[in-house]
Amino acid sequence: MADHSPDYLLAAIELGASARAHGNHPFGALLTDPAGTVLLTAENTVLTDHDVTAHAEINLVRQASRTLAPHQLAEATLYSSTEPCAMCAGAIYWSGIRRVVYALAATELNAIAGVDPDEPVLELPCRTVFAAGGNTVEVSGPFLFEEASAVHVGYWG
């Protein structure tokens, strides 16, 4: 299993900061191989791409599915700045990626972002989505609350 050092999560959080700087929601993700080499990175592009599905994890899964073999996906670990939403968890599951590590829990994000009737929340933890499938996806998190929440301060609301 890949190293769960905070460096990968901090890199994912930095990708979230980059997404925010580029005019998007502050989310980022990266994929490592079993040795810990970063294979791919992605950030959220929902606003600039005018695509509600362009979450960081979806963008990463799209790249990974096009460029990596199935065995590479199965051996990889996806690190995300925030717990994958139900849509992203589904994409991760179908991609064959079997390990996910995230920094900020969705419940923590929701507490920071508050309630916005124009952007309703689908409260379905990624562990619940993965557990509904026939393949095991190992999930670790949340980690690094202070660092992970900082990128969201002042963004929502």
Side-chain angles (χ1 to χ4, degrees), residues 69-137:
H71 77 274
Q72 290 174 294
L73 293 168
E75 295 171 349
T77 301
L78 187 150
Y79 292 87
S80 182
S81 63
T82 306
E83 179 178 357
C85 72
M87 175 183 68
C88 291
I92 292 164
Y93 178 84
W94 289 115
S95 76
I97 295 168
R98 295 294 172 240
R99 280 174 286 294
V100 174
V101 182
Y102 66 88
L104 190 67
T107 53
E108 295 167 332
L109 172 63
N110 294 343
I112 293 166
V115 176
D116 181 351
D118 292 331
E119 290 200 34
V121 175
L122 180 59
E123 293 198 26
L124 187 59
C126 71
R127 284 178 172 90
T128 302
V129 175
F130 295 139
N135 292 317
T136 299
V137 178

Coordinates of all heavy atoms in Angstrom, one line a residue, residues 69-137:
A69 N -3.1 1.5 -17.4 CA -3.6 0.2 -17.6 C -4.5 -0.2 -16.3 O -4.2 0.4 -15.2 CB -2.5 -0.8 -17.7
P70 N -5.4 -1.1 -16.5 CA -6.3 -1.5 -15.4 C -5.5 -1.9 -14.1 O -5.8 -1.6 -13.0 CB -7.1 -2.7 -15.9 CG -7.2 -2.3 -17.4 CD -5.9 -1.7 -17.7
H71 N -4.4 -2.7 -14.3 CA -3.6 -3.1 -13.1 C -2.9 -1.9 -12.4 O -2.8 -1.9 -11.2 CB -2.5 -4.2 -13.5 CG -1.3 -3.6 -14.2 ND1 -1.3 -3.4 -15.6 CD2 -0.1 -3.2 -13.7 CE1 -0.1 -2.9 -15.9 NE2 0.6 -2.8 -14.8
Q72 N -2.6 -0.9 -13.2 CA -2.0 0.3 -12.6 C -3.1 1.1 -11.8 O -2.8 1.6 -10.7 CB -1.4 1.3 -13.7 CG -0.2 0.8 -14.3 CD 0.2 1.7 -15.5 OE1 -0.5 1.8 -16.5 NE2 1.4 2.3 -15.3
L73 N -4.3 1.1 -12.3 CA -5.4 1.8 -11.5 C -5.6 1.0 -10.2 O -5.8 1.6 -9.2 CB -6.6 1.8 -12.4 CG -6.5 2.7 -13.6 CD1 -7.7 2.5 -14.5 CD2 -6.5 4.2 -13.2
A74 N -5.7 -0.3 -10.3 CA -6.0 -1.1 -9.1 C -4.9 -1.0 -8.1 O -5.2 -1.1 -6.9 CB -6.1 -2.6 -9.5
E75 N -3.7 -0.7 -8.5 CA -2.6 -0.6 -7.5 C -2.4 0.9 -7.0 O -1.6 1.1 -6.1 CB -1.3 -1.1 -8.2 CG -1.3 -2.5 -8.5 CD -0.1 -3.0 -9.3 OE1 0.7 -2.1 -9.8 OE2 0.1 -4.2 -9.5
A76 N -3.0 1.8 -7.6 CA -2.8 3.2 -7.3 C -3.6 3.7 -6.1 O -4.5 3.0 -5.6 CB -3.3 4.1 -8.5
T77 N -3.2 4.8 -5.6 CA -3.9 5.4 -4.4 C -4.3 6.8 -4.9 O -3.5 7.6 -5.4 CB -3.0 5.5 -3.2 OG1 -2.7 4.2 -2.8 CG2 -3.8 6.2 -2.0
L78 N -5.6 7.2 -4.7 CA -6.1 8.5 -5.0 C -6.1 9.3 -3.7 O -6.7 8.9 -2.7 CB -7.5 8.4 -5.6 CG -8.1 9.7 -6.1 CD1 -9.0 9.4 -7.3 CD2 -8.8 10.5 -5.1
Y79 N -5.4 10.5 -3.7 CA -5.4 11.4 -2.6 C -6.3 12.6 -3.0 O -6.1 13.2 -4.0 CB -4.0 11.8 -2.3 CG -3.1 10.7 -1.7 CD1 -2.5 9.9 -2.5 CD2 -3.0 10.6 -0.3 CE1 -1.7 8.9 -2.0 CE2 -2.3 9.5 0.2 CZ -1.6 8.7 -0.7 OH -0.8 7.7 -0.1
S80 N -7.2 13.0 -2.1 CA -8.1 14.1 -2.4 C -8.1 15.1 -1.2 O -8.0 14.7 -0.1 CB -9.5 13.5 -2.6 OG -10.4 14.6 -2.9
S81 N -8.2 16.4 -1.6 CA -8.2 17.4 -0.6 C -9.5 17.3 0.3 O -9.5 17.8 1.4 CB -8.1 18.8 -1.3 OG -9.3 19.0 -2.1
T82 N -10.5 16.7 -0.3 CA -11.8 16.6 0.4 C -12.4 15.3 0.1 O -12.2 14.7 -1.0 CB -12.8 17.8 0.0 OG1 -12.1 19.0 0.2 CG2 -14.1 17.8 0.8
E83 N -13.2 14.7 1.0 CA -13.9 13.5 0.8 C -14.6 13.5 -0.5 O -15.4 14.4 -0.8 CB -14.9 13.2 1.9 CG -15.6 11.9 1.8 CD -16.6 11.6 3.0 OE1 -16.6 12.4 3.9 OE2 -17.3 10.6 2.9
P84 N -14.4 12.5 -1.4 CA -15.1 12.4 -2.6 C -16.6 12.4 -2.5 O -17.1 11.7 -1.6 CB -14.6 11.1 -3.3 CG -13.3 10.9 -2.6 CD -13.4 11.4 -1.2
C85 N -17.3 13.2 -3.3 CA -18.8 13.2 -3.2 C -19.3 11.8 -3.8 O -18.5 11.0 -4.3 CB -19.3 14.4 -4.0 SG -19.1 14.2 -5.8
A86 N -20.6 11.6 -3.8 CA -21.2 10.4 -4.3 C -20.9 10.2 -5.8 O -20.5 9.1 -6.2 CB -22.7 10.4 -4.1
M87 N -20.9 11.3 -6.6 CA -20.6 11.2 -8.0 C -19.2 10.8 -8.2 O -18.9 9.8 -9.0 CB -20.9 12.5 -8.7 CG -20.5 12.6 -10.2 SD -20.7 14.2 -10.9 CE -19.5 15.2 -10.1
C88 N -18.2 11.4 -7.5 CA -16.8 11.1 -7.7 C -16.5 9.7 -7.1 O -15.7 9.0 -7.7 CB -16.0 12.1 -6.9 SG -16.0 13.7 -7.7
A89 N -17.1 9.3 -6.0 CA -16.9 8.0 -5.5 C -17.4 6.9 -6.5 O -16.7 5.9 -6.7 CB -17.7 7.8 -4.2
G90 N -18.5 7.2 -7.2 CA -18.9 6.2 -8.3 C -17.9 6.1 -9.4 O -17.6 5.0 -9.8
A91 N -17.4 7.3 -9.8 CA -16.3 7.3 -10.9 C -15.1 6.5 -10.4 O -14.5 5.8 -11.2 CB -16.0 8.7 -11.3
I92 N -14.7 6.8 -9.2 CA -13.5 6.1 -8.6 C -13.7 4.6 -8.6 O -12.9 3.8 -9.0 CB -13.1 6.6 -7.2 CG1 -12.7 8.1 -7.3 CG2 -12.1 5.8 -6.5 CD1 -12.7 8.8 -6.0
Y93 N -14.9 4.2 -8.1 CA -15.2 2.8 -8.1 C -15.1 2.2 -9.5 O -14.5 1.1 -9.6 CB -16.6 2.6 -7.5 CG -17.0 1.2 -7.4 CD1 -16.7 0.4 -6.4 CD2 -17.8 0.6 -8.5 CE1 -17.0 -1.0 -6.4 CE2 -18.2 -0.7 -8.5 CZ -17.8 -1.5 -7.4 OH -18.1 -2.8 -7.4
W94 N -15.8 2.8 -10.4 CA -15.8 2.2 -11.8 C -14.5 2.2 -12.5 O -14.2 1.4 -13.4 CB -16.9 2.9 -12.7 CG -18.3 2.6 -12.2 CD1 -19.2 3.4 -11.7 CD2 -18.9 1.3 -12.2 NE1 -20.3 2.7 -11.3 CE2 -20.2 1.4 -11.7 CE3 -18.5 0.0 -12.6 CZ2 -21.1 0.4 -11.5 CZ3 -19.4 -1.1 -12.5 CH2 -20.6 -0.9 -11.9
S95 N -13.6 3.1 -12.1 CA -12.3 3.2 -12.7 C -11.4 2.0 -12.3 O -10.4 1.7 -13.0 CB -11.5 4.5 -12.2 OG -11.1 4.4 -10.9
G96 N -11.7 1.4 -11.1 CA -10.8 0.3 -10.7 C -9.8 0.8 -9.6 O -9.1 -0.1 -9.1
I97 N -9.8 2.0 -9.3 CA -8.9 2.5 -8.2 C -9.4 1.9 -6.9 O -10.6 2.0 -6.7 CB -8.9 4.1 -8.2 CG1 -8.2 4.6 -9.5 CG2 -8.1 4.6 -6.9 CD1 -8.4 6.1 -9.7
R98 N -8.6 1.4 -6.1 CA -9.0 0.6 -4.9 C -8.6 1.2 -3.6 O -8.8 0.7 -2.5 CB -8.6 -0.8 -5.0 CG -9.2 -1.6 -6.1 CD -10.8 -1.7 -5.9 NE -11.4 -2.2 -7.1 CZ -12.4 -1.6 -7.8 NH1 -12.8 -0.4 -7.4 NH2 -12.9 -2.1 -8.8
R99 N -7.9 2.4 -3.6 CA -7.5 3.1 -2.4 C -7.7 4.6 -2.5 O -7.3 5.2 -3.5 CB -6.0 2.8 -2.1 CG -5.8 1.4 -1.5 CD -4.3 1.1 -1.3 NE -3.6 0.7 -2.5 CZ -3.9 -0.3 -3.3 NH1 -4.8 -1.2 -3.0 NH2 -3.1 -0.6 -4.4
V100 N -8.4 5.1 -1.5 CA -8.7 6.6 -1.4 C -8.2 7.1 -0.1 O -8.6 6.5 1.0 CB -10.2 6.8 -1.7 CG1 -10.5 8.3 -1.5 CG2 -10.6 6.4 -3.0
V101 N -7.5 8.2 -0.1 CA -7.2 8.9 1.2 C -7.6 10.4 1.0 O -7.3 11.0 0.0 CB -5.6 8.9 1.4 CG1 -5.3 9.5 2.7 CG2 -5.1 7.4 1.4
Y102 N -8.3 10.9 2.0 CA -8.8 12.3 1.9 C -8.5 13.1 3.1 O -8.3 12.5 4.2 CB -10.3 12.3 1.5 CG -11.2 11.8 2.6 CD1 -11.7 12.7 3.6 CD2 -11.6 10.5 2.5 CE1 -12.6 12.2 4.5 CE2 -12.5 10.0 3.5 CZ -13.0 10.9 4.5 OH -13.9 10.4 5.4
A103 N -8.4 14.4 2.9 CA -8.1 15.3 4.0 C -9.4 15.8 4.7 O -9.6 15.4 5.9 CB -7.3 16.5 3.5
L104 N -10.2 16.6 4.1 CA -11.4 17.2 4.8 C -12.6 16.3 4.6 O -12.9 15.9 3.5 CB -11.6 18.6 4.2 CG -12.6 19.4 4.9 CD1 -12.1 19.9 6.3 CD2 -12.9 20.7 4.1
A105 N -13.3 16.0 5.7 CA -14.5 15.2 5.6 C -15.6 16.0 5.0 O -15.6 17.3 5.1 CB -15.0 14.7 6.9
A106 N -16.5 15.4 4.2 CA -17.7 16.1 3.6 C -18.5 16.8 4.7 O -18.9 18.0 4.5 CB -18.5 15.2 2.8
T107 N -18.7 16.2 5.8 CA -19.4 16.9 6.9 C -18.7 18.1 7.4 O -19.4 19.1 7.8 CB -19.6 15.9 8.1 OG1 -18.4 15.4 8.5 CG2 -20.6 14.8 7.7
E108 N -17.4 18.1 7.5 CA -16.6 19.3 7.9 C -16.7 20.4 6.8 O -16.9 21.5 7.2 CB -15.1 18.9 8.1 CG -14.9 17.9 9.2 CD -13.5 17.3 9.3 OE1 -12.9 17.1 8.2 OE2 -13.1 16.9 10.4
L109 N -16.7 20.0 5.5 CA -16.9 21.0 4.5 C -18.2 21.6 4.6 O -18.4 22.8 4.4 CB -16.7 20.3 3.1 CG -17.1 21.2 1.9 CD1 -16.1 22.4 1.8 CD2 -17.0 20.4 0.6
N110 N -19.3 20.8 4.8 CA -20.6 21.3 4.9 C -20.8 22.3 6.0 O -21.5 23.3 5.9 CB -21.6 20.2 5.0 CG -21.7 19.3 3.8 OD1 -21.2 19.7 2.7 ND2 -22.2 18.1 3.9
A111 N -20.1 22.1 7.1 CA -20.1 23.0 8.3 C -19.4 24.3 7.9 O -19.9 25.4 8.3 CB -19.4 22.3 9.5
I112 N -18.4 24.2 7.1 CA -17.7 25.5 6.7 C -18.5 26.2 5.7 O -18.6 27.4 5.7 CB -16.3 25.1 6.1 CG1 -15.4 24.5 7.2 CG2 -15.6 26.3 5.4 CD1 -14.1 23.8 6.6
A113 N -19.0 25.5 4.7 CA -19.7 26.1 3.5 C -21.1 26.6 3.9 O -21.6 27.6 3.3 CB -19.8 25.1 2.4
G114 N -21.7 26.0 4.9 CA -23.1 26.4 5.2 C -24.1 25.9 4.3 O -23.8 25.1 3.3
V115 N -25.3 26.3 4.5 CA -26.5 25.8 3.6 C -26.7 26.8 2.5 O -26.9 28.0 2.8 CB -27.7 25.6 4.5 CG1 -28.9 25.2 3.6 CG2 -27.5 24.6 5.6
D116 N -26.8 26.4 1.3 CA -27.1 27.2 0.2 C -28.1 26.5 -0.6 O -27.9 25.5 -1.3 CB -25.8 27.5 -0.7 CG -26.0 28.4 -1.9 OD1 -27.2 28.7 -2.2 OD2 -25.1 28.8 -2.5
P117 N -29.4 27.1 -0.7 CA -30.5 26.4 -1.4 C -30.2 26.3 -2.9 O -30.7 25.5 -3.6 CB -31.7 27.3 -1.1 CG -31.2 28.5 -0.4 CD -29.8 28.3 0.0
D118 N -29.3 27.1 -3.4 CA -28.9 27.0 -4.9 C -27.9 25.9 -5.1 O -27.7 25.6 -6.3 CB -28.4 28.4 -5.4 CG -29.4 29.5 -5.4 OD1 -30.6 29.1 -5.5 OD2 -29.1 30.6 -5.2
E119 N -27.3 25.5 -4.1 CA -26.3 24.4 -4.2 C -26.6 23.3 -3.2 O -25.8 23.2 -2.2 CB -24.9 24.9 -4.1 CG -24.5 25.7 -5.3 CD -23.0 25.8 -5.5 OE1 -22.2 24.9 -5.2 OE2 -22.5 26.9 -6.0
P120 N -27.6 22.5 -3.4 CA -28.0 21.5 -2.4 C -26.9 20.5 -2.2 O -26.2 20.2 -3.2 CB -29.3 20.9 -2.9 CG -29.3 21.2 -4.3 CD -28.5 22.5 -4.5
V121 N -26.8 19.9 -1.0 CA -25.8 18.9 -0.8 C -26.4 17.5 -0.8 O -27.5 17.3 -0.4 CB -25.2 19.1 0.6 CG1 -24.2 18.0 1.0 CG2 -24.5 20.5 0.7
L122 N -25.7 16.6 -1.4 CA -26.1 15.2 -1.5 C -25.2 14.5 -0.4 O -24.1 14.2 -0.6 CB -25.8 14.6 -2.9 CG -26.1 13.1 -3.1 CD1 -27.6 12.9 -2.8 CD2 -25.7 12.7 -4.5
E123 N -25.8 14.3 0.8 CA -25.1 13.7 1.9 C -25.1 12.2 1.8 O -26.0 11.5 2.3 CB -25.7 14.2 3.2 CG -25.5 15.7 3.4 CD -25.6 16.2 4.8 OE1 -25.5 15.4 5.7 OE2 -26.0 17.4 5.0
L124 N -24.1 11.7 1.2 CA -23.9 10.3 1.0 C -22.4 10.0 1.1 O -21.6 10.3 0.1 CB -24.4 9.8 -0.4 CG -24.5 8.4 -0.7 CD1 -25.3 7.6 0.4 CD2 -25.0 8.1 -2.1
P125 N -21.9 9.6 2.2 CA -20.4 9.4 2.4 C -19.8 8.5 1.4 O -20.5 7.5 0.9 CB -20.3 8.8 3.8 CG -21.6 9.2 4.5 CD -22.6 9.2 3.4
C126 N -18.6 8.7 1.0 CA -17.9 7.9 0.0 C -17.8 6.4 0.5 O -18.0 5.5 -0.3 CB -16.6 8.4 -0.4 SG -15.3 8.3 0.8
R127 N -17.7 6.2 1.8 CA -17.6 4.8 2.3 C -18.9 4.1 2.0 O -18.9 2.9 1.7 CB -17.3 4.9 3.8 CG -15.8 5.2 4.1 CD -15.6 5.2 5.6 NE -14.2 5.3 6.0 CZ -13.6 6.5 6.1 NH1 -14.2 7.6 5.9 NH2 -12.3 6.5 6.4
T128 N -20.0 4.8 2.1 CA -21.3 4.2 1.8 C -21.4 3.8 0.3 O -21.9 2.7 0.0 CB -22.5 5.1 2.2 OG1 -22.3 5.4 3.6 CG2 -23.8 4.5 2.0
V129 N -21.0 4.7 -0.5 CA -21.0 4.4 -2.0 C -20.2 3.2 -2.3 O -20.6 2.2 -3.0 CB -20.6 5.6 -2.8 CG1 -20.5 5.3 -4.3 CG2 -21.5 6.8 -2.6
F130 N -18.9 3.2 -1.8 CA -18.0 2.1 -2.1 C -18.5 0.8 -1.5 O -18.4 -0.3 -2.1 CB -16.6 2.4 -1.5 CG -15.9 3.5 -2.2 CD1 -15.2 4.5 -1.4 CD2 -16.0 3.8 -3.5 CE1 -14.5 5.5 -2.0 CE2 -15.3 4.8 -4.1 CZ -14.6 5.7 -3.3
A131 N -19.1 0.8 -0.3 CA -19.6 -0.4 0.3 C -20.8 -1.0 -0.4 O -21.0 -2.2 -0.3 CB -20.1 -0.1 1.8
A132 N -21.5 -0.3 -1.3 CA -22.6 -0.8 -2.1 C -22.1 -1.6 -3.3 O -22.9 -2.2 -3.9 CB -23.5 0.4 -2.5
G133 N -20.8 -1.6 -3.6 CA -20.3 -2.3 -4.7 C -19.7 -3.6 -4.4 O -19.6 -4.0 -3.2
G134 N -19.4 -4.4 -5.4 CA -18.9 -5.8 -5.2 C -17.4 -5.8 -5.0 O -16.8 -6.8 -4.6
N135 N -16.7 -4.7 -5.3 CA -15.2 -4.6 -5.1 C -14.9 -3.7 -3.9 O -15.6 -2.8 -3.6 CB -14.6 -4.0 -6.3 CG -14.7 -4.9 -7.5 OD1 -14.5 -6.1 -7.4 ND2 -15.0 -4.3 -8.7
T136 N -13.8 -4.1 -3.2 CA -13.5 -3.3 -2.0 C -12.7 -2.1 -2.4 O -11.7 -2.2 -3.2 CB -12.6 -4.2 -1.1 OG1 -13.4 -5.3 -0.7 CG2 -12.2 -3.4 0.1
V137 N -13.0 -0.9 -1.9 CA -12.2 0.3 -2.0 C -11.9 0.7 -0.6 O -12.7 0.9 0.3 CB -13.0 1.4 -2.7 CG1 -12.2 2.7 -2.7 CG2 -13.5 1.0 -4.1

